[in-house]
Amino acid sequence: MSAGIVAGFLLRGRQRLIFILEKTTGFSIYILLFLLGISVGANDKVISNFANIGFNAVVIALCSVAGSVLLSSILYKTLFNGKKN
Amino acid sequence: MKGSIIIVLFFIAGMILGVNRLLPPFLTGTDPGLYALYFLMFLVGAGIGSDKNVWRILADLNVKILLIPVVIILGTLGGSALSSVILPQISTADCLAVGSGFGYYSLSSIIISQIRNETLGVTALLANISREIFTLVAAPILVKLFGRLAPVASGGSTSMDTTLPVILRYSGREYAVLAVFSGMIITLLVPFIITTVYKTASLFN
């Protein structure tokens, strides 16, 4: 990733190359999730536990959101309230 | 939103093929996924490096603004640590890693399924998609109850793109600017935070 940042920095301003880069990134994300889907589908442990995994996922998501929202509301009240920043 | 749907469709298509064992065995091993991940990390890095906005924002940093992503990261980690109390079958490190996706489900699920296993990768995928959907749906309530920064916090890494429209709508323009900044910082840090969680956890075992 650091190598990528350096490469990207050198490419600054070359709109055409950057456009291709963004397209490739999106495409490789599709491929990777496709591959993850394949190994998940071939994994009986995941398939038979899908409802359970979904439940765990929602609990973790709600807890993380709650934590970040509560802390951010403290920050909002102490530093940001009423000010346009 | 359209992008998210396409991503999920790719995942589901792969899953259907996998369930029905319709594939040559070389595709189901870990290696193609791992090399594809290295390649993706390079591309993500190149995207950040070539983005002029990132460098401009980093140039005129303001300590108060920097506090936003810091608070969101700390709150998320605290909340996910708490979720391991509710879900005793999942270790604290695993809960922290899933939470550290901050809504960036594509990258976090891939990294986590490489570091740990597919079960946790899917957990990360579903948890982080839930975070994004929750933010999209609950933004107006969040603003009312917890202030205008709340949807930015809830959005995590997605506040710079997919959840930005609802933030703009319910928190206002000046918070949309903060949302882009905070989302960028968090997106940048996702891979580092996930690997740091496991490195730190391995020190205690």
Side-chain angles (χ1 to χ4, degrees), chain A residues 4-5 8 33 37-38 40 43 63 76, chain B residues 7 14-15 45-46 50 79 118 122 175:
Chain A
I5 294 180
L33 273 153
I38 289 172
V40 163
N43 186 332
C63 286
Y76 181 71
Chain B
I7 282 180
M15 222 166 98
S50 65
E118 276 128 26
V122 175
Y175 283 85

Side-chain angles (χ1 to χ4, degrees), chain A residues 80, chain B residues 58 61-71 181 185:
Chain A
F80 286 85
Chain B
L58 284 177
L61 264 186
N62 173 329
V63 181
K64 205 164 126 184
I65 294 172
L66 194 62
L67 275 175
I68 299 172
V70 170
V71 156
F181 167 74
I185 300 281

Side-chain angles (χ1 to χ4, degrees), chain B residues 38 43 50 68 82-83 95 112-113 116 119 157-158 165 174 188:
Chain B
Y38 291 152
L43 289 176
S50 65
I68 299 172
L82 193 78
S83 69
C95 283
I112 289 173
S113 63
R116 294 285 279 126
T119 310
S157 67
T158 68
E174 61 273 34
L188 248 166

Side-chain angles (χ1 to χ4, degrees), chain B residues 66-104:
Chain B
L66 194 62
L67 275 175
I68 299 172
V70 170
V71 156
I72 295 173
I73 290 169
L74 291 179
T76 300
L77 291 177
S80 11
L82 193 78
S83 69
S84 75
V85 179
I86 306 172
L87 305 168
Q89 71 274 26
I90 304 180
S91 75
T92 310
D94 285 345
C95 283
L96 286 173
V98 170
S100 304
F102 299 97
Y104 196 170

